[in-house]
Amino acid sequence: MMLRCVASPFLKQYVSISNNNRLWTLNFNRESIAGKTPMVLLHGFGGGVGLWAQNLDALSQDRPVYALDLLGFGQSSRPDFSTDAQEAEQQFVESIEQWREKVGLDSMILLGHNLGGYLAVSYAIKYPRRVKHMVLVEPWGFLERPDTAEEDRPIPVWIKALGAMFTPFNPLAGLRLLGPLGPALVQILRPDFKKKFSSMFVDNTVPEYIYHMNAQSPSGETAFRNMTVPYGWAKRPMSQRMDQLQPHIPITAVYGSRSSVDSNSGAAIRELTPERPVDIITIRGAGHYVYADQPDDFNHRVLRACDKVG
């Protein structure tokens, strides 16, 4: 339903990987651009391929584009993940590699938002020969949690109590508990999502999509929870491993000027690997969902950043 306004021709398919798992995939490819390095889109936590609806036409004009629902999210399989943060991360990474092999891509540009950005770097560390460029959009999990986080920003006792009470549960458990009332909750709590896609949809397509993507078994959601420490910081922050990433892989980091996510991660990437080409882009008027808040500017900047990749 989110893709009904996409004009470019594309294929929809399940790509089978190990353990009877399948990854839901969109394939935008034409004979005239078949020789170009493909771009692979990795969505963020709680997302799916439909959230790229305002980007797919533009990004697929010059090169093949693939978008997949990450293992445990969207319409992809929802297996049991390890409760160990490192092992869960590797399950995600190996699913991407098995997907790449099945689809038959030799190398690719990885564009990841939020959790997708974290997994893009983790993948590139393990499989550097397969990645020609990375576009990290508001990436999660790069910086370490400050030791003084609570001292610098005191957290009220009642919030700490609620946090402790809900820690055993998954982040989106409340959405599932409401059943058919879930889309209405999405619209109440996040009315901005409908606004982000107002140029494409005037109905409740967006809140209904978000609900249905997260109303199923919380497989990837549980994995993400096991990869975090309180208040959303990563158990294994990527800043501790940037030295393992091959210096020949350029990085473009994209942030929204109105986002609550700390753009210092882009500066940290540049400082940790000074020999690497790192371009930091801030898009005015955009929040965390940069690609949906300012899609035209986002698409233009991404195309320009990847222009040198054959």
Side-chain angles (χ1 to χ4, degrees), residues 27-49:
N27 175 353
F28 291 75
N29 202 347
R30 304 188 310 279
E31 187 175 344
S32 60
I33 56 173
K36 300 288 289 290
T37 301
M39 179 181 293
V40 176
L41 310 182
L42 305 178
H43 63 77
F45 173 77
V49 295

Side-chain angles (χ1 to χ4, degrees), residues 31-305:
E31 187 175 344
S32 60
I33 56 173
K36 300 288 289 290
T37 301
M39 179 181 293
V40 176
L41 310 182
L42 305 178
H43 63 77
F45 173 77
V49 295
L51 294 183
W52 303 111
Q54 298 181 95
N55 317 107
L56 293 167
D57 282 327
L59 297 181
S60 63
Q61 291 308 300
D62 295 328
R63 67 178 68 250
V65 168
Y66 294 82
L68 62 143
D69 283 344
L70 294 170
L71 186 65
F73 291 100
Q75 296 184 65
S76 291
S77 298
R78 295 180 176 243
D80 292 330
F81 280 81
S82 172
T83 57
D84 178 79
Q86 183 173 356
E87 291 178 6
E89 179 185 326
Q90 287 308 306
Q91 282 177 261
F92 280 122
V93 168
E94 289 309 311
S95 71
I96 297 170
E97 170 58 10
Q98 291 169 18
W99 173 89
R100 179 206 61 79
E101 192 172 11
K102 270 296 183 71
V103 173
L105 306 183
D106 181 65
S107 60
M108 52 195 169
I109 298 168
L110 283 180
L111 186 155
H113 172 248
N114 184 268
L115 171 63
Y118 181 88
L119 295 177
V121 177
S122 184
Y123 176 90
I125 288 173
K126 189 164 186 180
Y127 299 103
R129 192 169 69 84
R130 303 300 182 186
V131 181
K132 286 193 174 181
H133 191 108
M134 280 191 291
V135 182
L136 308 179
V137 185
E138 294 266 321
W140 167 83
F142 275 71
L143 301 179
E144 297 183 44
R145 181 185 178 184
D147 293 334
T148 59
E150 292 195 27
E151 297 173 12
D152 292 345
R153 186 171 55 186
I155 300 170
V157 173
W158 67 272
I159 292 183
K160 290 183 181 180
L162 282 176
M165 184 171 65
F166 285 106
T167 293
F169 302 99
N170 286 311
L172 300 174
L175 197 63
R176 286 181 289 276
L177 286 173
L178 285 176
L181 296 177
L185 178 65
V186 173
Q187 196 163 333
I188 291 170
L189 296 180
R190 294 301 304 267
D192 57 310
F193 268 113
K194 188 173 179 178
K195 185 179 179 181
K196 294 176 195 300
F197 293 88
S198 59
S199 65
M200 304 186 90
F201 311 107
V202 295
D203 55 13
N204 292 326
T205 293
V206 179
E208 287 177 2
Y209 174 78
I210 293 171
Y211 168 72
H212 288 295
M213 289 299 96
N214 293 289
Q216 305 168 59
S217 170
S219 167
E221 186 182 334
T222 301
F224 178 77
R225 187 196 70 191
N226 291 331
M227 291 164 62
T228 65
V229 295
Y231 308 109
W233 297 87
K235 282 184 180 178
R236 305 182 67 243
M238 199 54 70
S239 59
Q240 297 176 351
R241 291 176 276 161
M242 289 303 294
D243 61 338
Q244 299 175 35
L245 183 64
Q246 293 294 317
H248 71 272
I249 303 175
I251 292 176
T252 301
V254 184
Y255 298 91
S257 65
R258 294 173 32 244
S259 174
S260 58
V261 171
D262 192 347
S263 62
N264 285 336
S265 58
I269 292 170
R270 180 179 279 165
E271 291 174 10
L272 288 167
T273 55
E275 71 284 2
R276 180 189 319 284
V278 177
D279 188 21
I280 302 173
I281 296 172
T282 301
I283 295 184
R284 294 183 62 183
H288 180 58
Y289 291 85
V290 189
Y291 56 89
D293 289 329
Q294 299 291 339
D296 291 341
D297 197 5
F298 174 84
N299 296 337
H300 174 72
R301 298 288 196 97
V302 168
L303 288 172
R304 191 166 63 181

